[in-house]
């Protein structure tokens, strides 16, 4: 259990850091994107070598200038450098540079009459070294901008990103992708949640040196994402000792009132709910406190460096939990909860020599939430004084992301032109869910009055009657990676391999208490009677209570099981400097992945997913003032481990019948005699499903093709302008279908005998394409290969396109201020969101196994604007150093609302086995049978999002290192609606919650911070 404090964790690290040979950690997806590069051009005869020296650690790299005057140095740790142009061993000129992760910076040397060039703050020249799309934010940027101290807040600063569905636990949409289709890295190490792929582990915010948000155009070293990439590079120790701390509070007294939720005026419930209060929120109270500290410096000057950071965030929330018409307001109408998010980070950097470096990193993200429920009275606003129930959780439903990781990384410059990078690692997370007063071994009891034997106790037993997550479920990731880079003349060749292994142990839910005692009484004890899965014999021969017809049934139900997955990849890339102004990059990536069931048997395996990519950059004027760039590529995404839980693993649903002679103090039966064996109506004995039948054969991976074309230009020394076009098209996806009709039709057409016990459950497949399946019609282990065409399966091809035009205007940091404005005109359209489904009232958590493709009727009129579509988006950030002591900053988002759809009963499926009641694109009938088509995204849009955040920072000159800061979030208090109920009816009946609000953005709040930093020169 992850219950130890951050301080204890840090001490453990400090005392065990010497045992680095034992450390392991998950592998990096893109080693080159945990480092940066320097490039440039000099005139013929100006020099013969370039020397780069780190201002932080004194590590030095030297490279020879090519005959055409160009030079390029890669795999540099991020930070500040002095670049020296030498000729014959003598210094000719110097330049000061800042190297950013995953980016290139141009070294520009002094012209005649000058000896050095000083580059301060953000560069004004344009990075002509790559064609990736997105944005990079340094620690200085994040310090001055008014944003929440989280990775998700950084993501939203970048263009082509939108918030994921608010009912998902985490995740964002990059370029129209689903919330589970992104990849997250820290120092090149994958920290994406392996179970769901929704969100990722984070680290102390103050440990972030740079955050790179990639929304497209990235090379073959990155994979396993059709959305985007969040690439974080951390701080490291330097030759100067430094330390600091931060205290911040967002008090409840400065937070505006939460707006209440109301029922919409549907016209169907004028006297009951229409237009009335649904959920009171104005009494809600939320307060957040955060404490953090760091220290870093040299253990051995120029050789061994350390950096450590700790952070704890406490979020206290109290408010009405249930709606006005809920039936259990007296039990859990009010909820109080506190989440403590403890994070730690520790990093050692050892410069073996100028050409060899080893890094060791350990980090933890440890969320704990304690929840209490009390009564609430809507009429009087009275909150009960008695806690009726409480829960403690770690990595639970409130905060499922986190864990602990260790990373060991080596970078070696074997020659001036050959670099090797290797990484090995492991991450783990243990999910704790412990309701107060819950005894996992105490069974539930159900005994209606008419089945109770006189004089016996039937009260007591398990107080919890809902299914419980397994307490102690665990996720694990182990990864390995090796990358090579070799420069040959005008070519830079890169190659790499990686391998990831994941497992999720004891994931799923089980019956509270492990079992349910269901008491019963038969009126004919001298006769046998049928039950699910078998028969109970006549009870009279057993005598006693049994002769009177009394018996008890023990029901056990569980979906708890293990899931396994693996991924491997190889890539090869050539970056060709065609001329001094034109660079072309061509690469290919091969990926494979598998998913395995609870027994470790593979049931989905993709061996050869080929993803070619190409890009080009043209430095039009030859001086990094104007570039034209473009890219084309294919991107793939794997399936999370959780897909096995429902798709391939077994579930337990069994019953046993007994006669009994008495009951104990908990209402459980005593004196048991079994009268049946273990029975199951659906053969759910916990065994894995047949791995040969739960997925189609030779499936295509989920993949997407992308094209980008753009330009960036320095309009003046003060302003840069850019424009870019992006087009993405989903070519294939994987989900599951549960429609047995095509398989029954195939059997009938081919005269195949079908066992009475056979029924088609569900199977993963490629929607909208022909698929081959293995089917055991006879339930005897003899499989029939069933080929079903697209038409036989009844689905249109999976469609999702994203088209966008982006424009930006940037004022690089100069004269004391920085600003950037992005405008995006985009459209995300299709018949599938991807791996996720946000149309439901609560985003469906069955990633890559949603209800979308269960039956063809569900896809009628499914094509249209998708939930992540935002037609217009304007994002602006900036800060101004008014004086050396005062800085003001701002961030703003103006965005179109989410498209609205309507879902209801398909009139063509009423009375059938494939009627999902409220999941079809049919609406507006007085009854479900009278519904008419309602194509996706045609009911308008939610209101515009208008968010403005401002801050002011005061750094008094009389206390050097102190910074006092006030951030005001949502200054306009625009609590815009982000999601509503789209269900119009359920079967034949209208739904009272139609168009009622589910989620609004947070109200205005103010955060007060005090930070102190000191450097020991």
């Amino acid at each position: 259990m992850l219950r130890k404090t951050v301080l204890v964790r840090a001490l453990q690290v400090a005392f065990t850091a010497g045992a680095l040979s034992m450390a392991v950690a998950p592998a990096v997806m893109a080693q080159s994107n945990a480092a940066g590069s320097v490039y440039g051009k000099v005139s013929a005869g100006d020099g013969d070598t370039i020397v780069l020296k780190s201002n932080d650690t004194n590590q030095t790299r030297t490279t020879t200038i090519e005959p055409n005057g160009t030079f390029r140095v890669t795999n540099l740790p991020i930070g500040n450098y002095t670049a020296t142009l030498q000729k014959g061993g003598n210094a000719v000129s110097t330049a000061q540079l800042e190297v950013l992760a995953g980016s290139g910076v141009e070294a520009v040397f002094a012209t005649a009459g000058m000896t050095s060039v000083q580059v301060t703050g953000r560069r004004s020249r344009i990075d002509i070294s790559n064609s990736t799309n997105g944005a990079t934010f340094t620690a200085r940027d994040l310090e001055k901008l008014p944003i929440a101290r989280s990775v998700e807040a950084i993501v939203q600063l970048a263009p082509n990103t939108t918030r994921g569905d608010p009912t998902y636990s985490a995740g964002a949409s990059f370029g129209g992708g689903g919330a589970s289709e992104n990849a997250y890295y820290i120092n090149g190490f994958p920290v994406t949640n392996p179970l769901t792929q929704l969100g990722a582990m984070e680290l102390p915010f103050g440990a972030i040196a740079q955050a790179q948000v990639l929304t497209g155009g990235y090379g073959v070293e990155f994979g396993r994402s059709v959305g985007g990439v969040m690439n974080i590079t951390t701080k490291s120790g330097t030759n100067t000792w430094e330390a600091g701390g931060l205290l911040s509070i967002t008090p409840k007294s400065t937070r505006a009132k939460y707006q209440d939720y109301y029922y919409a005026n549907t016209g169907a419930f004028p006297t009951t709910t229409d237009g009335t209060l649904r959920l009171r929120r104005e009494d809600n109270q939320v307060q957040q406190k955060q404490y953090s500290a760091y220290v870093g410096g040299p253990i051995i000057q120029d050789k061994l460096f350390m950096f450590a950071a700790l952070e704890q965030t406490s979020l206290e929330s109290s408010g009405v939990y249930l709606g006005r018409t809920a039936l259990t307001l007296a039990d859990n109408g009010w909820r109080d909860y506190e989440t403590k998010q403890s994070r730690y980070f520790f990093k050692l950097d050892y410069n073996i020599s100028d050409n060899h470096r080893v890094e060791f990193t350990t980090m933890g993200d440890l969320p704990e939430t304690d929840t209490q429920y009390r009564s609430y009275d809507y009429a009087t606003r009275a909150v009960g004084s008695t806690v009726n129930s409480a829960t403690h959780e770690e990595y639970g439903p409130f905060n499922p992301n986190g864990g602990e990781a260790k990373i060991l990384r080596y970078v070696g410059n074997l020659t001036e032109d050959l670099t090797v990078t290797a990484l090995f690692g492991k991450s783990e997370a243990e999910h704790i869910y412990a309701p107060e007063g819950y005894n996992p071994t105490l069974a539930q009891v159900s005994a209606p009055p008419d089945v109770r034997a006189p004089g016996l106790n039937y009260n007591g037993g398990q107080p919890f009657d809902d299914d419980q997550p397994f307490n102690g479920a665990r996720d694990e990731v182990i990864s390995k990676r090796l990358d090579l880079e070799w420069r040959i003349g005008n070519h830079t060749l890169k190659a790499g391999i990686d391998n990831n292994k994941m497992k999720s142990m004891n994931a799923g839910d089980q019956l509270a208490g492990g079992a349910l005692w269901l008491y019963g009484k038969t009126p004919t004890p001298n006769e046998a009677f049928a039950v699910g899965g078998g028969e109970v014999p006549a009870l009279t021969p057993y005598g006693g209570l049994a002769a009177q017809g009394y018996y008890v049934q023990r029901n056990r139900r569980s979906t708890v099981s293990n899931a396994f997955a693996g991924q491997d990849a190889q890539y090869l890339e050539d970056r060709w400097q065609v001329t001094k102004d034109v660079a072309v990059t061509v690469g290919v990536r091969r990926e494979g992945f598998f998913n395995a069931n609870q027994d470790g048997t593979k049931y989905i395996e993709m061996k050869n997913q080929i993803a070619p990519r190409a890009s080009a950059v043209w430095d039009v004027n030859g001086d990094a003032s104007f570039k034209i760039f473009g890219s084309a590529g294919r991107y793939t995404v794997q399936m999370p481990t959780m897909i096995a839980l429902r798709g391939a693993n077994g579930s337990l649903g069994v019953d046993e019948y007994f006669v009994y002679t008495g009951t104990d103090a908990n209402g459980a039966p005593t004196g048991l005699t079994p009268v049946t064996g273990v029975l199951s109506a659906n053969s759910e004995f916990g065994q894995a499903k047949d791995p040969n039948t739960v997925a189609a054969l030779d499936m295509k991976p989920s993949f997407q093709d992308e094209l980008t074309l753009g330009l960036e230009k320095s309009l003046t020394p003060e302003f840069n302008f850019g424009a870019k076009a992006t087009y993405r098209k989903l070519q294939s996806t994987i989900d599951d279908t549960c429609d047995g009709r095509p398989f029954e039709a195939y059997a009938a057409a081919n005269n195949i005998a079908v066992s009475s016990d056979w029924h088609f459950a569900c199977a993963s497949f490629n929607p909208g394409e022909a698929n081959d399946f293995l089917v055991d019609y006879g339930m005897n282990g003899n499989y029939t290969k069933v080929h079903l065409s697209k038409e036989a399966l009844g689905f249109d091809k999976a469609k999702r396109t994203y088209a966008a035009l982006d424009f930006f205007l940037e004022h690089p940091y100069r004269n004391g201020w920085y600003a950037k404005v992005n405008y995006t005109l985009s459209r995300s359209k299709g018949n599938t969101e991807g791996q996720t489904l946000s149309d439901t009232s609560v985003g469906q958590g069955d990633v890559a196994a949603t209800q979308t493709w269960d039956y063809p009727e569900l896809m009628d009129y499914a094509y249209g604007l998708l939930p992540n579509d935002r037609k217009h988006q304007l994002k602006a950030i900036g800060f101004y150093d008014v004086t050396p002591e005062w800085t003001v900053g701002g961030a703003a988002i103006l965005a179109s609302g989410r498209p609205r759809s309507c879902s209801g009963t398909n009139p063509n499926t009423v009375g059938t086995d494939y009627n999902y009641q409220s999941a079809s694109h049919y609406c507006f009938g007085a009854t479900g049978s009278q519904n008419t088509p309602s194509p996706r995204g045609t009911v308008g849009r939610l209101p515009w999002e208008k968010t403005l955040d401002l801050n002011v920072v005061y750094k008094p000159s009389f206390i050097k290192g102190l910074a006092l800061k006030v951030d005001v979030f949502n200054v306009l208090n625009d609590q815009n609606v982000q999601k509503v109920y789209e269900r119009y009816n359920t079967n034949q009946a209208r739904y009272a919650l139609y168009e009622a609000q589910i989620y609004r953005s947070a109200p205005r709040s103010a955060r007060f911070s005090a930070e102190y930093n000191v450097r020991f020169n």
Side-chain angles (χ1 to χ4, degrees):
M1 293 174 59
L2 304 177
R3 297 178 181 272
K4 297 186 179 179
T5 65
V6 172
L7 178 59
V8 172
R9 296 289 187 181
L11 291 173
Q12 287 178 328
V13 169
F15 286 106
T16 60
L20 296 187
S21 61
M22 300 298 293
V24 289
V28 16
M29 286 322 265
Q31 300 285 355
S32 62
N33 280 280
S37 62
V38 171
Y39 63 91
K41 291 175 284 191
V42 297
S43 300
D46 280 356
D48 48 36
T49 59
I50 301 293
V51 178
L52 291 166
K53 184 176 183 179
S54 168
N55 298 341
D56 300 321
T57 65
N58 289 331
Q59 191 174 31
T60 302
R61 291 276 300 277
T62 302
T63 189
T64 303
I65 299 173
E66 299 294 333
N68 64 359
T70 63
F71 60 88
R72 180 179 173 86
V73 182
T74 61
N75 281 299
L76 290 166
I78 66 171
N80 297 306
Y81 287 79
T82 297
T84 302
L85 172 64
Q86 292 186 343
K87 184 174 183 179
N90 298 314
V92 176
S93 181
T94 63
Q96 296 299 313
L97 309 170
E98 181 183 20
V99 173
L100 303 179
S103 302
V105 60
E106 183 180 20
V108 180
F109 294 101
T111 56
M114 300 175 62
T115 58
S116 67
V117 173
Q118 178 73 30
V119 180
T120 60
R122 279 183 168 268
R123 55 181 172 76
S124 60
R125 305 173 75 86
I126 292 168
D127 178 9
I128 61 167
S129 66
N130 64 62
S131 62
T132 57
N133 309 320
T136 299
F137 303 94
T138 67
R140 289 193 305 275
D141 300 330
L142 301 176
E143 172 190 334
K144 294 186 176 184
L145 292 173
I147 65 169
R149 293 168 65 85
S150 70
V151 168
E152 292 298 335
I154 300 173
V155 169
Q156 295 308 315
L157 297 176
N160 299 110
T161 63
T162 63
R163 293 182 178 87
D165 186 278
T167 59
Y168 279 126
S169 58
S173 173
F174 291 66
S180 67
E181 298 172 356
N182 309 313
Y184 296 79
Y185 307 98
I186 297 176
N187 286 346
F189 156 63
V191 292
T192 312
N193 186 319
L195 181 65
T196 65
Q197 296 176 186
L198 293 169
M201 181 192 306
E202 297 192 27
L203 72 167
F205 198 78
I208 297 175
Q210 294 174 14
Q212 185 184 32
V213 186
L214 299 175
T215 57
Y218 41 88
V220 291
E221 71 269 28
F222 274 117
R224 307 184 183 109
S225 166
V226 296
V229 174
M230 184 63 185
N231 185 43
I232 293 174
T233 307
T234 65
K235 294 178 180 178
S236 297
T238 68
N239 271 325
T240 300
W241 280 102
E242 57 183 327
L246 175 143
L247 302 175
S248 77
I249 183 172
T250 307
K252 56 188 176 184
S253 59
T254 64
R255 193 179 296 268
K257 283 186 176 295
Y258 284 81
Q259 295 181 7
D260 294 338
Y261 290 164
Y262 284 82
Y263 288 94
N265 286 305
T266 66
F269 307 93
T271 61
T272 52
T273 57
D274 275 8
T276 64
L277 176 67
R278 183 178 75 82
L279 178 65
R280 179 172 291 144
R281 302 172 74 238
E282 63 181 13
D283 293 338
N284 293 8
Q285 300 287 328
V286 177
Q287 180 165 284
Q288 185 180 71
K289 299 176 183 177
Q290 188 173 83
Y291 315 92
S292 64
Y294 74 91
V295 62
I299 298 174
I300 302 174
Q301 199 80 8
D302 293 344
K303 281 290 185 181
L304 183 61
F305 310 89
M306 65 83 66
F307 183 88
L310 306 174
E311 176 183 279
Q312 179 161 301
T313 304
S314 174
L315 177 69
E316 299 175 356
S317 176
S318 299
V320 180
Y321 178 58
L322 297 179
R324 177 178 56 85
T325 60
L327 301 178
T328 59
L329 286 167
D331 296 323
N332 58 343
W334 182 271
R335 180 179 68 181
D336 303 297
Y337 72 86
E338 180 180 10
T339 294
K340 291 183 179 179
Q341 191 93 33
S342 301
R343 292 171 174 152
Y344 68 86
F345 174 82
F346 180 83
K347 186 168 188 277
L348 287 174
D349 292 88
Y350 178 41
N351 292 341
I352 302 170
S353 68
D354 282 339
N355 292 316
H356 298 276
R357 185 176 79 255
V358 175
E359 302 173 2
F360 169 70
T361 302
T362 183
M363 57 189 171
D365 184 359
L366 316 173
E368 296 186 11
T369 300
D370 289 288
T371 309
Q372 295 180 336
Y373 297 94
R374 293 182 280 167
S375 65
Y376 182 75
D377 189 317
Y378 265 84
T380 63
R381 296 179 185 255
V383 179
S385 59
T386 302
V387 175
N388 297 319
S389 60
T391 300
H392 173 80
E393 63 179 65
E394 301 172 22
Y395 311 105
F398 270 94
N399 294 280
N401 291 315
E404 295 183 288
K406 293 179 176 66
I407 308 168
L408 187 62
R409 183 170 179 259
Y410 163 76
V411 180
N413 304 304
L414 304 184
T415 70
E416 183 179 319
D417 298 318
L418 180 61
T419 301
V420 60
T421 307
L423 186 147
F424 180 66
K426 181 179 182 180
S427 68
E428 293 181 299
E430 186 176 12
H431 303 271
I432 303 300
Y433 188 81
E436 186 176 285
Y438 174 61
N439 181 349
T441 64
L442 182 61
Q444 300 176 48
V445 173
S446 175
D450 58 337
V451 302
R452 299 184 180 188
L456 297 184
N457 171 51
Y458 292 92
N459 297 318
Q462 178 63 246
F464 296 86
D465 59 5
D466 52 346
D467 288 356
Q468 300 290 307
F470 186 87
N471 188 17
R474 187 167 56 87
D475 299 325
E476 179 181 285
V477 179
I478 296 178
S479 289
K480 295 161 279 190
R481 186 178 177 102
L482 178 69
D483 293 83
L484 297 171
E485 182 178 294
W486 185 22
R487 290 191 307 156
I488 310 174
N490 293 331
H491 294 267
T492 301
L493 301 178
K494 295 168 67 175
I497 59 175
D498 73 25
N499 185 282
N500 302 328
K501 293 292 175 60
M502 292 109 164
K503 58 182 178 182
S504 296
M505 309 300 289
N506 294 314
D509 299 328
Q510 60 185 356
L511 195 66
L516 168 63
W517 291 111
L518 290 159
Y519 288 93
K521 182 181 181 183
T522 175
T524 55
N526 59 334
E527 297 179 8
F529 56 94
V531 294
E535 182 181 80
V536 174
L539 301 181
T540 302
Y542 292 92
L545 292 176
Q548 302 174 51
Y550 293 100
Y551 66 92
V552 66
Q553 168 190 356
R554 181 170 66 180
N555 173 256
R556 289 180 292 150
R557 185 174 67 246
S558 173
T559 61
V560 174
S561 59
N562 303 329
F564 305 89
Q567 305 155 4
D568 70 285
Q570 303 86 38
Y571 74 86
L572 181 64
E573 181 181 87
D574 178 17
R575 184 185 186 277
W576 178 26
Q577 191 71 42
V578 183
T579 70
K580 64 183 182 65
D581 300 324
V582 176
V584 174
T585 302
V586 178
V588 63
R589 181 182 180 89
R590 189 218 70 88
E591 285 188 345
F593 76 81
F594 71 83
N595 290 76
N597 65 15
Q598 64 198 53
D599 301 323
T601 303
K602 299 176 183 178
Y603 66 95
I604 293 178
E605 186 170 20
M606 304 283 179
K607 293 185 177 180
N608 291 297
Q609 305 172 65
I610 306 301
R613 299 175 200 171
S615 65
V617 181
W618 177 25
D619 182 8
V620 179
N621 297 326
D623 60 359
S625 65
F626 179 24
K627 81 169 180 179
I628 295 176
F629 62 94
S631 67
R634 175 162 291 180
Y635 301 84
T636 66
V637 67
Q638 74 287 344
M639 302 169 75
T641 57
M642 72 170 299
I643 189 175
L645 302 182
R646 287 188 60 188
N649 285 359
S651 55
L652 182 69
V654 297
D655 295 288
E656 298 169 82
Y657 291 81
F658 304 84
V659 294
Y660 64 101
T661 60
T663 59
D664 64 15
N666 292 310
T670 60
L672 291 172
T673 300
V675 296
T676 70
V678 179
L679 308 177
S680 178
N682 296 307
S683 298
E684 294 180 287
F685 295 101
Q687 76 280 13
K689 297 176 182 176
D690 186 342
N692 295 305
T693 64
V694 294
L697 305 173
D698 302 321
M699 287 188 294
K700 298 178 183 178
S702 294
F703 70 94
Q704 176 173 273
D705 290 336
E706 178 191 86
L707 291 171
T708 68
L709 180 63
L711 62 88
E712 293 183 22
K713 181 173 176 56
S714 294
L715 299 178
T716 69
E718 285 76 30
F719 288 98
N720 293 336
F721 168 79
K724 175 174 64 72
T726 301
Y727 182 76
R728 289 177 156 190
K729 184 177 182 181
L730 184 70
Q731 300 288 11
S732 177
T733 191
I734 299 175
D735 211 291
D736 66 341
T737 180
C738 301
D739 189 4
R741 291 170 294 177
F743 298 89
E744 294 165 2
Y746 184 93
N750 292 275
N751 297 315
I752 299 174
V754 179
S755 168
S756 59
D757 294 329
W758 178 86
H759 72 280
F760 180 74
C762 298
S764 296
F765 78 130
N766 289 133
E769 301 182 31
N771 285 261
D772 292 329
F773 302 85
L774 290 181
V775 181
D776 183 7
Y777 284 111
M779 301 294 289
N780 54 13
N782 294 321
Y783 300 101
T784 301
K785 185 175 181 180
V786 176
H787 175 80
L788 296 175
S789 66
K790 167 187 170 183
E791 292 73 21
L793 287 165
F795 293 104
D796 288 336
K797 186 172 176 60
K799 299 173 185 176
R800 186 183 74 191
T801 58
Y802 175 79
L805 291 174
D806 292 287
F807 305 91
F808 78 82
L809 183 66
E810 179 184 35
H811 182 281
Y813 185 78
R814 178 173 293 192
N815 300 323
W817 66 285
Y818 170 80
K820 187 172 185 178
V821 179
N822 288 282
Y823 168 70
T824 301
L825 173 66
S826 65
R827 185 186 68 178
S828 181
K829 202 170 185 179
N831 59 10
T832 178
E833 184 181 329
Q835 290 187 334
T836 52
L837 179 64
S838 301
D839 296 319
T840 48
S841 301
V842 176
Q844 188 172 352
D846 302 308
V847 176
T850 67
Q851 68 183 26
T852 305
W853 304 95
D854 283 2
Y855 297 98
E857 288 81 1
L858 295 172
M859 296 302 293
D860 290 347
Y861 305 100
Y863 184 81
L865 295 173
L866 295 168
N868 293 317
D869 176 77
R870 304 292 185 271
K871 184 175 181 180
H872 301 284
Q873 271 194 321
L874 184 71
K875 296 185 178 183
I877 58 173
F879 52 84
Y880 176 39
D881 294 327
V882 183
T883 71
E885 293 183 304
W886 291 91
T887 297
V888 294
I893 296 178
L894 179 65
S896 304
R898 168 177 171 163
R900 288 170 48 209
S901 299
C902 182
S903 63
T905 301
N906 184 335
N908 303 311
T909 63
V910 173
T912 69
D913 293 335
Y914 43 94
N915 175 22
Y916 273 21
Q917 299 185 3
S918 61
S920 298
H921 299 278
Y922 286 83
C923 281
F924 312 125
T927 66
S929 297
Q930 296 173 306
N931 278 349
T932 57
S934 176
R936 182 195 294 274
T938 57
V939 192
R941 288 182 181 269
L942 294 177
W944 281 65
E945 176 185 358
K946 301 179 288 292
T947 302
L948 174 64
D949 304 326
L950 298 173
N951 72 0
V952 58
V953 183
Y954 174 50
K955 297 181 178 180
S957 58
F958 55 88
I959 307 179
K960 187 177 181 181
L962 178 65
L964 304 176
K965 185 177 181 181
V966 179
D967 301 274
V968 181
F969 301 104
N970 195 5
V971 173
L972 304 177
N973 197 29
D974 178 52
Q975 299 181 43
N976 63 289
V977 178
Q978 296 188 2
K979 187 169 185 175
V980 298
Y981 288 95
E982 296 182 344
R983 182 194 298 185
Y984 189 79
N985 50 22
T986 299
N987 212 359
Q988 297 293 352
R990 285 292 304 276
Y991 190 54
L993 286 172
Y994 176 62
E995 292 194 323
Q997 300 154 10
I998 296 176
Y999 199 90
R1000 284 180 175 270
S1001 56
R1004 180 177 55 244
S1005 62
R1007 182 179 67 196
F1008 302 89
S1009 306
E1011 185 175 4
Y1012 183 71
N1013 302 286
V1014 61
R1015 292 172 64 89
F1016 304 95
N1017 295 320

